[in-house]
Amino acid sequence: MSDISQRERLLALREQLHKHSYQYYVLDAPQIPDVEYDRLFNELLDIEAAHPDWQTDDSPSQRVGAAPLSSFSQVRHETPMLSLDNVFSEDELLDFDRRVKSRLEDGAEFSYACEPKLDGIAVSLLYVDGVLVRGATRGDGRVGEDITQNVKTISSIPLKLQGEGWPDELEVRGEIYMPRAGFERINELARETDGKVFVNPRNAAAGSLRQLDSRITAKRPLEMSCYGIAQQEGEALFASHSEGLQRLREWGFLVSPELRVVSSIADCVDYYQSLLQRRDGLAYDIDGIVFKVDSLALQAKLGFVSRAPRWAIAHKFPAQEEITLLRDVEFQVGRTGAVTPVAKLEPVFVGGVTVSNASLHNFDEIERLGVMIGDYVVVRRAGDVIPQIVQVVLDRRTKGTEEIIAPVKCPVCESLLERAPGEAVLRCSGGLVCGAQRKEAIKHFASRKAMDIDGLGDKLVEQFVDAGLINTVADLYLLSVEQIANLDRMGQKSAENLIAAIEKSKTTTLPRFLYSLGIREVGEATALNLARHFGALPELMSASEDMLIEVEDVGPIVASHLHAFFATEFNRDVVKQLCDRGVHWPAAQKQGGAQPLAGQTWVLTGNLESMTRGEAKEKLQALGAKVAGSVSAKTDCVAAGVSAGSKLAKAEALGIKVIDEQGLLKVFADVGGGE
Ligand code: 9MJ
């Protein structure tokens, strides 16, 4: 290729890569597969390697990081980076509103912008003529550190502005954070490789930004959400804060999709409550809500005191980390025999609930933390993850703390514990001899996503096993009303209801049945793939490991667990007993049936009235659809029930087909999924 056409290709590649990276990271709506993006990216790297003088600061190639620095230089913020005053109660929030109103005096109506308070690192980005020229930390608000090389590696930060109307010089402020899933992933990797384990996503984000070698930052899953524009004195680009954020969106920045403008402090209180409810389900940590007077003219009138504006307030949520005493460590035996150390804590209110147990994972983790019984520890509870001990407060260690000793025998059945080479987990060798493993297997079998035996909770399973009424899951189908009615806290009516629920569970689906067997590493998705691939149970039970590996998403480890499970006589007997005692699934689902929705991706949101979301999901899957948890450009259809929220809004924004419950029922009736 001639230099001229190579140069044209280079420019075209840059444009394409900017566009696709924006689609992927900011809109969350990719238009091309990842492999295609990688191909384009590598082509760009090749051309730039052949012509180093063609490299520019705004090239997507900058995302991979640059040669390490020896230190960070200092940056002076022309417009100081403010911090926020906090309140911790509704009363204090109402006081804030009263203060604002009394300062504004005239009694005129005004609006508040509401946004989640991200728990990350505050950063400023400077664009000159539309190109990112500098990224800096907040530091003390006046002087921060130059982290330009590092911010360039973050894919949701535009290297070059899009659209039009941006000023020659634009300074954008926001928070760099690490989403929870990325945090869990890098910590898991660090545990496996003896790398640095971070205490929480905020520390992980800070540690990743503090790297002098930006190639390390490039490997960390960081994002930036923008919440402000530095306004120079006398400059008026927009009338309101929310309008500014809308423009930032158009110029290519990620702005919180949760941003709302409301007209009263009462609406602010509602917003706080509704986000607090959804906090655990968000993809990132938030530590409160920020309310800002939306009008920039009113903001200017209110001004600020010391380092915080008078026009904004952060209403903090209950903390996600707390300090408490580790009283003892107990050992729990799980369904697969894994023995997990469980921390018994002095009860503490954290992340909105009182926590008295926390996971310690395994003995490698106990060693890494250096934790002892009697220590004060930091407990973190965020999202749906079970509470974790993340740190020991060594300053508060006193004499008399005790070492945590690994057990040699199973605390339940006294079988020897084993530790497979290279594994951190201790495992009970007792198999189903072990009462704990039996109980866990039965609890799993009865659970909602498995055989869904309504009313058979954990406590009852324990009672049944302890009373010797059942030993295996197949024994459930021999229970009688009389046997149950005689137990503690059970009566005739509840016994009858339970027997009816057990009877009802006999009609199931093959994927549910496979999942309920509790085979190691076989979750719902794998069970579904196995059922679709083999169609019928006997074929699956007699499959070799090679045949099992052919199933989508089944690798050698899962294949070996499956093979070992069905090669064990005990397990084959239980499966046979279950079928002999009446467990069955409709023949139509055995061979996969017709799959009119094959290749389609659906999303369910909001509340359905005629069925649960789980039931709707199963029906869609039986018709061949993939049911995803979030809306993206790849979604074919969204079925929205009552009070559908952000997923519906996103589908509408992306122009994806949306149907209501009636529409969904019609699909089931038309394509044969109805009862
Ligand atoms: C965070 N941390 O999410 C501000 N922030 O505004 C939001 N922080 C802020 N706004 C002015 N959403 C100073 C700090």
Side-chain angles (χ1 to χ4, degrees):
M1 230 197 283
S2 73
D3 266 11
I4 295 175
S5 52
Q6 278 235 348
R7 180 129 185 103
E8 275 169 5
R9 178 71 187 143
L10 174 85
L11 297 178
L13 281 169
R14 282 185 189 156
E15 283 310 309
Q16 274 178 298
L17 287 163
H18 278 309
K19 186 184 102 189
H20 289 304
S21 153
Y22 173 71
Q23 288 284 341
Y24 188 99
Y25 290 101
V26 179
L27 299 185
D28 198 12
Q31 287 184 327
I32 53 169
D34 293 355
V35 285
E36 178 63 8
Y37 184 91
D38 293 344
R39 267 195 287 272
L40 297 173
F41 192 75
N42 286 328
E43 193 184 339
L44 173 78
L45 292 185
D46 286 346
I47 301 181
E48 288 189 1
H51 299 273
D53 51 321
W54 288 359
Q55 272 188 20
T56 54
D57 280 353
D58 62 352
S59 169
S61 61
Q62 300 281 312
R63 301 267 193 225
V64 297
L69 304 172
S70 53
S71 66
F72 293 117
S73 49
Q74 291 200 328
V75 168
R76 174 162 289 280
H77 300 296
E78 296 304 330
T79 313
M81 286 186 78
L82 304 173
S83 57
L84 292 167
D85 277 340
N86 294 321
V87 295
F88 296 88
S89 70
E90 195 177 314
D91 280 351
E92 288 176 283
L93 180 67
L94 299 179
D95 285 344
F96 162 77
D97 179 58
R98 274 191 283 272
R99 279 199 304 276
V100 168
K101 285 184 175 143
S102 81
R103 274 186 198 283
L104 293 176
E105 283 171 352
D106 56 6
E109 299 281 309
F110 63 89
S111 316
Y112 284 113
C114 317
E115 50 202 46
K117 183 170 184 300
L118 285 153
D119 199 7
I121 311 301
V123 163
S124 139
L125 303 175
L126 181 65
Y127 291 80
V128 176
D129 295 331
V131 175
L132 174 65
V133 295
R134 195 193 71 191
T137 59
R138 177 175 179 280
D140 64 4
R142 301 197 168 271
V143 178
E145 282 180 328
D146 186 326
I147 52 163
T148 310
Q149 292 303 343
N150 295 359
V151 299
K152 280 187 174 176
T153 68
I154 299 174
S155 304
S156 53
I157 294 178
L159 298 176
K160 194 176 130 181
L161 300 180
Q162 305 193 1
E164 51 202 35
W166 27 265
D168 299 344
E169 199 166 290
L170 174 73
E171 190 181 340
V172 179
R173 270 112 190 242
E175 204 84 354
I176 292 184
Y177 61 97
M178 190 178 283
R180 285 180 196 144
F183 164 73
E184 301 294 343
R185 197 174 64 236
I186 63 161
N187 263 3
E188 197 137 306
L189 189 71
R191 282 199 185 95
E192 280 165 16
T193 54
D194 281 336
K196 162 114 183 102
V197 175
F198 292 102
V199 168
N200 55 36
R202 186 180 187 284
N203 286 11
S208 303
L209 280 184
R210 219 179 287 121
Q211 296 292 332
L212 289 166
D213 185 347
S214 54
R215 291 169 301 192
I216 299 175
T217 316
K219 296 201 179 92
R220 302 281 170 79
L222 297 173
E223 290 189 2
M224 177 158 173
S225 176
C226 298
Y227 52 66
I229 297 169
Q231 298 278 332
Q232 301 292 344
E233 204 72 39
E235 219 181 359
L237 285 170
F238 328 101
S240 68
H241 170 71
S242 55
E243 191 191 326
L245 296 189
Q246 182 48 38
R247 303 304 297 277
L248 287 185
R249 269 196 192 123
E250 291 161 16
W251 296 335
F253 294 91
L254 180 67
V255 171
S256 173
E258 308 292 345
L259 170 75
R260 299 283 180 279
V261 179
V262 302
S263 53
S264 71
I265 198 73
D267 292 341
C268 292
V269 172
D270 287 349
Y271 179 92
Y272 173 91
Q273 287 302 340
S274 101
L275 220 58
L276 179 57
Q277 295 284 321
R278 292 201 288 119
R279 182 189 197 183
D280 282 354
L282 297 177
Y284 41 81
D285 275 8
I286 61 174
D287 59 353
I289 304 293
V290 186
F291 299 111
K292 295 175 180 167
V293 171
D294 197 31
S295 152
L296 295 186
L298 295 186
Q299 285 190 5
K301 206 164 163 186
L302 289 160
F304 47 92
V305 262
S306 64
R307 300 245 175 85
R310 287 206 190 93
W311 41 263
I313 198 81
H315 189 182
K316 299 290 281 277
F317 284 153
Q320 287 180 319
E321 281 175 20
E322 262 300 349
I323 294 177
T324 191
L325 177 69
L326 174 63
R327 285 177 165 170
D328 199 3
V329 173
E330 287 181 0
F331 296 93
Q332 247 171 30
V333 187
R335 179 159 55 82
T336 59
V339 176
T340 316
V342 179
K344 298 283 157 182
L345 305 168
E346 183 72 34
V348 62
F349 189 72
V350 56
V353 298
T354 301
V355 167
S356 43
N357 295 319
S359 169
L360 274 166
H361 296 279
N362 53 48
F363 267 84
D364 284 359
E365 181 72 356
I366 291 176
E367 206 169 293
R368 186 185 70 76
L369 290 165
V371 60
M372 298 173 84
I373 294 168
D375 268 336
Y376 281 87
V377 291
V378 178
V379 184
R380 171 177 154 86
R381 184 194 168 271
D384 305 327
V385 184
I386 38 176
Q388 317 275 316
I389 290 187
V390 294
Q391 215 171 24
V392 178
V393 188
L394 282 177
D395 286 356
R396 289 181 67 176
R397 180 172 279 177
T398 51
K399 281 206 192 96
T401 51
E402 284 170 46
E403 196 183 333
I404 302 164
I405 312 240
V408 181
K409 287 182 180 168
C410 172
V412 176
C413 72
E414 304 208 329
S415 301
L416 280 181
L417 298 183
E418 295 167 341
R419 192 165 166 161
E423 262 201 45
V425 180
L426 278 173
R427 238 174 249 287
C428 164
S429 61
L432 290 175
V433 169
C434 175
Q437 290 183 58
R438 260 185 336 214
K439 282 179 184 166
E440 294 309 314
I442 300 169
K443 287 178 195 170
H444 172 78
F445 182 83
S447 64
R448 199 169 50 78
K449 291 178 178 170
M451 299 298 273
D452 194 19
I453 306 179
D454 203 21
L456 184 54
D458 291 0
K459 286 273 171 308
L460 217 46
V461 169
E462 291 184 11
Q463 225 177 332
F464 288 171
V465 175
D466 291 341
L469 290 182
I470 53 174
N471 270 314
T472 71
V473 292
D475 295 345
L476 284 169
Y477 295 97
L478 297 177
L479 285 170
S480 66
V481 172
E482 296 70 42
Q483 280 177 309
I484 303 174
N486 286 335
L487 291 173
D488 264 7
R489 290 192 302 273
M490 288 298 279
Q492 183 70 18
K493 189 71 205 146
S494 42
E496 281 171 12
N497 288 345
L498 183 58
I499 291 294
I502 293 176
E503 192 58 34
K504 185 165 168 242
S505 75
K506 285 183 181 171
T507 306
T508 185
T509 64
L510 181 55
R512 268 181 185 272
F513 182 75
L514 292 175
Y515 172 67
S516 73
L517 294 175
I519 304 164
R520 270 178 78 183
E521 312 273 348
V522 177
E524 274 180 290
T526 309
L528 186 64
N529 289 340
L530 288 165
R532 283 201 182 142
H533 186 94
F534 289 102
L537 186 59
E539 279 81 345
L540 166 59
M541 288 179 68
S542 57
S544 66
E545 287 189 43
D546 284 346
M547 288 158 80
L548 288 163
I549 288 174
E550 282 173 22
V551 179
E552 196 181 334
D553 289 337
V554 172
I557 294 177
V558 180
S560 82
H561 290 324
L562 275 160
H563 193 258
F565 184 91
F566 288 119
T568 308
E569 198 180 335
F570 178 89
N571 294 333
R572 297 179 75 91
D573 285 348
V574 170
V575 169
K576 183 167 183 310
Q577 284 164 0
L578 285 168
C579 296
D580 290 349
R581 290 171 192 172
V583 174
H584 66 283
W585 40 93
Q589 292 181 3
K590 262 194 180 172
Q591 271 312 324
Q595 300 221 308
L597 303 184
Q600 295 191 13
T601 301
W602 283 58
V603 171
L604 291 162
T605 181
N607 297 320
L608 301 173
E609 275 159 9
S610 60
M611 66 189 108
T612 65
R613 275 224 295 271
E615 285 162 354
K617 178 175 172 184
E618 258 174 28
K619 286 189 183 184
L620 287 169
Q621 286 173 332
L623 295 170
K626 189 174 156 223
V627 181
S630 60
V631 176
S632 75
K634 289 186 188 144
T635 309
D636 293 287
C637 185
V638 173
V642 199
S643 9
S646 61
K647 289 182 195 172
L648 175 59
K650 183 154 182 201
E652 284 166 350
L654 292 173
I656 286 162
K657 181 176 161 195
V658 176
I659 58 173
D660 62 6
E661 180 160 359
Q662 288 309 314
L664 182 64
L665 291 173
K666 189 163 178 322
V667 170
F668 290 152
D670 289 351
V671 298
E675 297 299 307

